[in-house]
Amino acid sequence: MDKMSKKYKCLFIKQPFADEFAKGRMTVHIMQRPIAYRGEIIICAEDGSGEQYGMYDGAWLARAEIVDCIPVAELTREQIAQSDMMGHRRKAYALILGNIRRLVEFPCHGHGFVTMELNEDDMVEYPTLVQLDRKGYEMLLTGRWRKK
């Protein structure tokens, strides 16, 4: 099978924040410069940033969309609570992310906000819906699916 490669914008974030973005718990990323790009990006964990936390590093974690990029001073309290802001970047810019979908982790190396050619065949989203038959549903309810 032919692998389909495509250019993607990749946003490399240090751990543990990259994992929080991938899970959708954080939706606002603080950067030093504004970004004009709007659209789909790949959220990646920076190399070496997850070692002390026991998390993935040097891997892509999720797909998302950049919805907006605004000065940090314009953030609402709710947006600040969902950001990786440490309080020391008042003159920075906030990337507002939406439509975050977790990907199965795969090695990806870089730094900052870059364009990379990635294989689409390697991008597999974690399932968000599982369909069970009646027997499987009953096994889940009773806990019989666990190995003894």
Side-chain angles (χ1 to χ4, degrees):
M1 183 186 323
D2 229 5
K3 288 200 173 194
M4 297 285 299
S5 62
K6 182 179 171 185
K7 290 189 178 188
Y8 286 94
K9 298 285 187 182
C10 297
L11 177 62
F12 286 85
I13 304 172
K14 292 184 182 201
Q15 288 288 25
F17 299 118
D19 204 51
E20 294 296 308
F21 279 102
K23 291 176 180 174
R25 293 182 189 148
M26 288 183 152
T27 57
V28 180
H29 178 63
I30 309 301
M31 298 190 74
Q32 293 293 77
R33 297 183 188 103
I35 291 176
Y37 176 80
R38 301 292 180 271
E40 187 176 51
I41 62 166
I42 306 298
I43 297 173
C44 306
E46 279 189 10
D47 285 335
S49 64
E51 292 172 2
Q52 68 184 19
Y53 302 105
M55 298 176 172
Y56 288 99
D57 58 349
W60 64 46
L61 302 176
R63 281 184 167 182
E65 291 180 26
I66 296 178
V67 178
D68 204 359
C69 182
I70 60 175
V72 167
E74 296 178 17
L75 289 175
T76 64
R77 286 179 191 231
E78 190 176 285
Q79 289 172 322
I80 290 172
Q82 294 180 345
S83 76
D84 56 356
M85 191 166 97
M86 297 299 185
H88 60 283
R89 296 180 177 175
R90 294 301 297 167
K91 293 185 180 182
Y93 293 86
L95 284 181
I96 312 297
L97 304 177
N99 195 17
I100 299 171
R101 297 158 335 266
R102 184 92 193 220
L103 293 173
V104 174
E105 299 77 11
F106 194 83
C108 182
H109 307 286
H111 180 74
F113 187 69
V114 296
T115 302
M116 298 180 75
E117 195 163 314
L118 305 173
N119 290 323
E120 287 184 324
D121 294 343
D122 295 332
M123 290 188 193
V124 179
E125 290 187 23
Y126 274 107
T128 54
L129 176 69
V130 176
Q131 191 169 6
L132 297 171
D133 60 2
R134 184 164 189 81
K135 181 180 175 186
Y137 179 72
E138 289 171 358
M139 287 174 70
L140 277 176
L141 287 178
T142 59
R144 289 183 293 160
W145 58 273
R146 294 187 182 125
K147 291 183 179 179
K148 295 181 180 179

